Amino acid sequence: MVGLVPPDLRDRWAAFSVTDAHDGPAPIPATNEWARLAAREARTSVRILRITEPMTWTNAVEAGRITDPGITARIVSAEVTLTTTVDGRSEAERTSVELGLEFEGPPTRSTWGFVGAVTYTAIPVGTS
């Protein structure tokens, strides 16, 4: 939650949360990976499977442990397909992805904004 992020880091938290690969792959590739993907003419498509509110979030709000009216959490489950070209041949890698995200919006802000990615799980499904 924003309140737990030190104030001097809050302006960088959203970007850091989707690029940090310390504990495993990150939702957004590292700088050197972008060059490899560009060389392979990579493109990605995403199919959202479901969006839910985490039960732990709901329970924490109901119990009064989360009191900020402008922050909410969602879990986004999706299938991501990364298509690349290798030796003139197209290859597609499918990955099942789940992201735990936090957003901030009304009544504390006039519009919704991305706060950060709390969790990220990516499981390869197959290639074609």
Side-chain angles (χ1 to χ4, degrees), residues 1-2 13-14 17-19 27-28 46 48 50-54 56-57 66 70-78 97-104 112-121:
M1 290 190 317
V2 174
W13 174 246
S17 74
V18 294
T19 58
I28 305 293
V46 178
I48 303 294
R50 76 183 158 274
I51 299 173
T52 58
E53 186 174 56
T56 54
W57 180 269
I66 297 174
I71 299 289
T72 192
R74 294 294 183 269
I75 295 174
V76 178
S77 301
V97 172
E98 186 171 276
L99 282 157
L101 306 171
E102 289 184 353
F103 301 93
E104 183 176 22
W112 287 98
F114 176 68
V115 172
V118 180
T119 60
Y120 175 68
T121 304

Side-chain angles (χ1 to χ4, degrees), residues 25 80 93-97 121-127:
V80 176
E93 300 171 16
R94 288 181 300 123
T95 305
S96 177
V97 172
T121 304
I123 301 171
V125 176
T127 60

Side-chain angles (χ1 to χ4, degrees), residues 3-104:
L4 300 177
V5 177
D8 57 327
L9 299 177
R10 290 181 187 169
D11 64 336
R12 296 181 298 261
W13 174 246
F16 174 78
S17 74
V18 294
T19 58
D20 176 37
H22 179 74
D23 292 327
I28 305 293
T31 304
N32 59 338
E33 181 67 4
W34 284 105
R36 186 183 78 78
L37 291 169
R40 297 178 74 192
E41 301 173 9
R43 56 201 178 280
T44 301
S45 63
V46 178
R47 183 169 62 110
I48 303 294
L49 303 174
R50 76 183 158 274
I51 299 173
T52 58
E53 186 174 56
M55 182 65 75
T56 54
W57 180 269
T58 303
N59 290 342
V61 169
E62 288 177 3
R65 292 189 306 274
I66 297 174
T67 58
D68 186 335
I71 299 289
T72 192
R74 294 294 183 269
I75 295 174
V76 178
S77 301
E79 181 179 271
V80 176
T81 302
L82 172 65
T83 305
T84 56
T85 302
V86 178
D87 297 328
R89 201 176 80 240
S90 183
E91 294 182 356
E93 300 171 16
R94 288 181 300 123
T95 305
S96 177
V97 172
E98 186 171 276
L99 282 157
L101 306 171
E102 289 184 353
F103 301 93
E104 183 176 22

